Amino acid sequence: MPTPPPNPHLPFGDQRTAPWYGKDILSVKQFSREDLEYIFAVAHEMHDMVNHVGTFDLLKGKILANLFYEPSTRTSSSFTAAMERLGGSVIPINEVKYSSVSKGESLPDTVRTLECYADVIVLRHPEVGSAAIAAKAARKPVINAGDGIGEHPTQALLDAFTIKEELGHLDGLTVTLLGDLKHGRTVHSLARLLSLYKVRLNYVAPDILRMPAELIDEIKAKKIEQAEYTTLDACLPQTDVLYVTRVQKERFSDEAVYESVKGAYVIDPQVMKAARERMIVMHPLPRVGEISPEFDDDPRAAYFRQMEYGLYVRMALLAMVLGKA
Ligand code: ASP
Ligand code: CP
């Protein structure tokens, strides 16, 4: 189909030569600092456009296949909203058991099928490396929306954007990652992404849920200061960003082990008395008890704002891989 002429009323042109056109987004390792600056700028434009016009036709006629093998509220619905706000449409496969996956269809065949109908595929899957397998099978761009305990790159991008919007910069910050650092794909991606900046990273986790040693080594090689703790009190007062995570129940084979660590940390107004006045608390969500709702009205509670930033970042990413930014 011929490409329609660019709309001069939009801040974005049709840029088939744009560097991200047709690219997969599989890991945060793909991004440089300059890429992040660019994504943040486009996400900013998206925010303004949504505020001013709500929905516009940048991706009119484009179709997203939203393929989720694992539960999701935010990632799935924000990609849908992002596509629809850009004038495109979505094939939702939120429950693969109603698709031919339940008849035994493989991931590569499922992806090959969907790319016959869609221009871009967003995939969440329980296995590490699944997004890369899908990308190998597909000619169209695949965006990793979480591959098991591996990565969740679009979450890390929206997390970094949140920090930038809320605190104005990333260099010089102390970021404390708390909770299930072993299984949490969001913290794996975020720690990697933050290593592009001059940050200090604190890891607070029960002994059995520590940040994987390979990841600590990878980040150490970038000369990033890191420290591990089992309790929060030693590092909370110096923290600029407290990134809280859920203990990932679905990754435990022994429920008794999950039960033994699930309530390890609870952030509430009392705990937060020891923190700075100017800092933020983030959480990729869903939360299941690790942040008390009593803290929600504190201006430092950024986790609901963080979800909204995700819409603008995902709009930016869709526009980029479809050659419109
Ligand atoms: N929603 C995030 C994820 O899918 C975090 C979580 O589920 O705890 O990784
Ligand atoms: N943050 C996140 O990925 O949320 P969902 O699991 O609801 O998509």
Side-chain angles (χ1 to χ4, degrees), residues 70-72 74-75 124 145-146 148 152 155 183-186 245-248 250-251 283-286:
E70 279 191 339
S72 169
R74 274 146 294 270
T75 312
R124 172 171 289 184
H152 194 345
Q155 177 74 44
H183 304 112
R185 55 193 172 202
T186 67
T245 64
R246 170 180 72 92
V247 178
Q248 309 275 295
E250 65 275 32
R251 312 291 179 210
H283 192 310
L285 302 174

Side-chain angles (χ1 to χ4, degrees), residues 65 67 69 105-118 121 133-140 142:
L67 176 60
Y69 288 71
E105 189 156 47
S106 69
L107 177 61
D109 283 3
T110 303
V111 163
R112 276 184 202 113
T113 307
L114 289 171
E115 72 173 349
C116 298
Y117 315 130
I121 297 167
I133 290 171
K136 208 164 166 213
R139 287 167 291 115
K140 306 259 174 83
V142 170

Side-chain angles (χ1 to χ4, degrees), residues 178 242 244-245 263 265-272 281-283 285-298 300-304:
L178 172 90
L242 175 62
V244 185
T245 64
Y265 310 102
V266 178
I267 301 304
D268 62 17
Q270 184 58 33
V271 169
M272 290 304 294
V281 177
M282 297 173 65
H283 192 310
L285 302 174
R287 63 174 160 182
V288 288
E290 56 283 342
I291 300 180
S292 158
E294 284 168 29
F295 183 66
D296 293 353
D297 292 333
D298 190 299
R300 296 171 293 180
Y303 31 93
F304 298 135

Side-chain angles (χ1 to χ4, degrees), residues 83-103:
M83 198 61 185
E84 292 186 354
R85 290 220 175 256
L86 292 167
S89 52
V90 181
I91 301 171
I93 306 188
N94 283 330
E95 182 51 280
V96 287
K97 85 169 175 257
Y98 298 118
S99 73
S100 285
V101 169
S102 64
K103 299 182 213 168

Side-chain angles (χ1 to χ4, degrees), residues 180 182-183 205-210 252 257-258 260-261:
D180 188 347
K182 177 181 178 191
H183 304 112
D207 227 18
I208 59 165
L209 300 180
R210 285 167 61 184
F252 285 75
V257 179
Y258 166 72
S260 73
V261 283

Side-chain angles (χ1 to χ4, degrees), residues 26 107 123-135 142 144 146-148:
L26 304 178
L107 177 61
L123 172 72
R124 172 171 289 184
H125 193 282
E127 278 158 38
V128 176
S130 51
I133 290 171
V142 170
N144 181 3
D147 62 332

Side-chain angles (χ1 to χ4, degrees), residues 14-75:
D14 182 33
Q15 299 160 5
R16 292 300 166 107
T17 53
W20 289 90
Y21 174 58
K23 293 262 168 69
D24 303 305
I25 297 177
L26 304 178
S27 163
V28 291
K29 290 179 192 167
Q30 292 169 253
F31 298 98
S32 66
R33 260 180 94 122
E34 291 69 35
D35 293 328
L36 263 72
E37 292 310 314
Y38 180 69
I39 293 167
F40 295 166
V42 179
H44 237 296
E45 295 274 3
M46 294 299 183
H47 189 171
D48 286 349
M49 289 297 280
V50 170
N51 279 348
H52 288 120
V53 297
T55 297
F56 51 110
D57 280 347
L58 190 67
L59 296 182
K60 190 173 163 56
K62 298 291 182 192
I63 298 176
L64 158 71
N66 222 13
L67 176 60
F68 280 69
Y69 288 71
E70 279 191 339
S72 169
T73 300
R74 274 146 294 270
T75 312

